[in-house]
Amino acid sequence: MDEMRGWVMAEYRSICLVDDPPVGLDVTSAEDVDDYLPPPDSPEGFDLVIAAPGIVTVTTGVMRGRVHLTVQVLDSEPRDLATGNWETVEEIGFRALSAYTRAAAGTYYPFVASSPGTFEESVTPTGAGFYRVRAHEVNRGSALGEHRDDGDPPTEERFLLQVWPTGTENEDHRRITGREPPLLL
């Protein structure tokens, strides 16, 4: 398991995983993540994670502000839920367009975390294909709708994203734990 973690700036009430090949790399594809932006709205009953080809969007509570993000890249589906007092856990499938899917802010461009190099690794190391993402959150409602500047203290929001290859398409959206109705509509 590879793990990346750090404080990141959420923008427009979101953080993302987005396909972003390095500049100058000749990635030949008929598709580009820009073809799928912005991602679709969450279906009724879900409010944490949504996906489209090349992008996964996680909805934060804070409109803009620093949140803690951990990304775990796994070889296969985890047997158990991650330990912790997670308030919401949702899972969704997505199709990666390349081997260059990285963490990003809500502006859909890779961000700079508080620790240099923290989120430089791809979450799709096996390349283009089908993956599942299990998103966990806690304290998402603690700074609901707030706008915080770069120098402001971080929020109490914490997110864990677990990503693994599936080999087959499965876009089913599952709510494993969470409020009914969801926190954000």
Side-chain angles (χ1 to χ4, degrees):
M1 169 179 68
D2 291 328
E3 185 173 288
M4 301 168 264
R5 66 175 53 218
W7 290 95
V8 298
M9 185 62 78
E11 299 277 356
Y12 304 108
R13 192 174 260 154
S14 62
I15 51 179
C16 306
L17 301 176
V18 66
D19 185 70
D20 183 53
V23 175
L25 184 67
D26 184 24
V27 177
T28 306
S29 174
E31 295 178 289
D32 185 272
V33 71
D34 291 337
D35 298 337
Y36 301 99
L37 293 177
D41 292 332
S42 296
E44 188 172 328
F46 298 94
D47 70 343
L48 179 59
V49 63
I50 192 68
I55 186 165
V56 175
T57 301
V58 178
T59 305
T60 62
V62 67
M63 182 60 74
R64 181 180 194 275
R66 284 184 291 153
V67 300
H68 193 272
L69 174 62
T70 300
V71 179
Q72 295 176 344
V73 179
L74 310 171
D75 294 329
S76 61
E77 179 177 359
R79 287 184 181 190
D80 301 312
L81 288 181
T83 57
N85 295 327
W86 303 109
E87 294 173 4
T88 307
V89 179
E90 289 182 8
E91 187 177 297
I92 195 166
F94 87 104
R95 182 168 55 91
L97 302 177
S98 76
Y100 303 99
T101 304
R102 296 183 287 168
T107 52
Y108 308 120
Y109 294 102
F111 47 51
V112 177
S114 56
S115 303
T118 304
F119 291 99
E120 289 182 359
E121 298 299 317
S122 175
V123 301
T124 55
T126 60
F130 299 106
Y131 293 81
R132 294 287 293 170
V133 175
R134 187 174 292 164
H136 307 67
E137 69 84 14
V138 67
N139 297 324
R140 192 164 47 138
S142 64
L144 196 59
E146 288 184 16
H147 183 283
R148 296 188 182 189
D149 292 322
D150 294 343
D152 291 341
T155 68
E156 295 177 16
E157 294 181 56
R158 293 189 167 294
F159 297 88
L160 166 63
L161 304 180
Q162 295 175 311
V163 182
W164 64 92
T166 62
T168 60
E169 185 173 15
N170 178 355
E171 295 180 359
D172 289 346
H173 206 152
R174 294 189 320 143
R175 173 163 277 208
I176 299 169
T177 62
R179 300 172 182 85
E180 293 294 336
L183 173 68
L184 307 170
L185 294 177

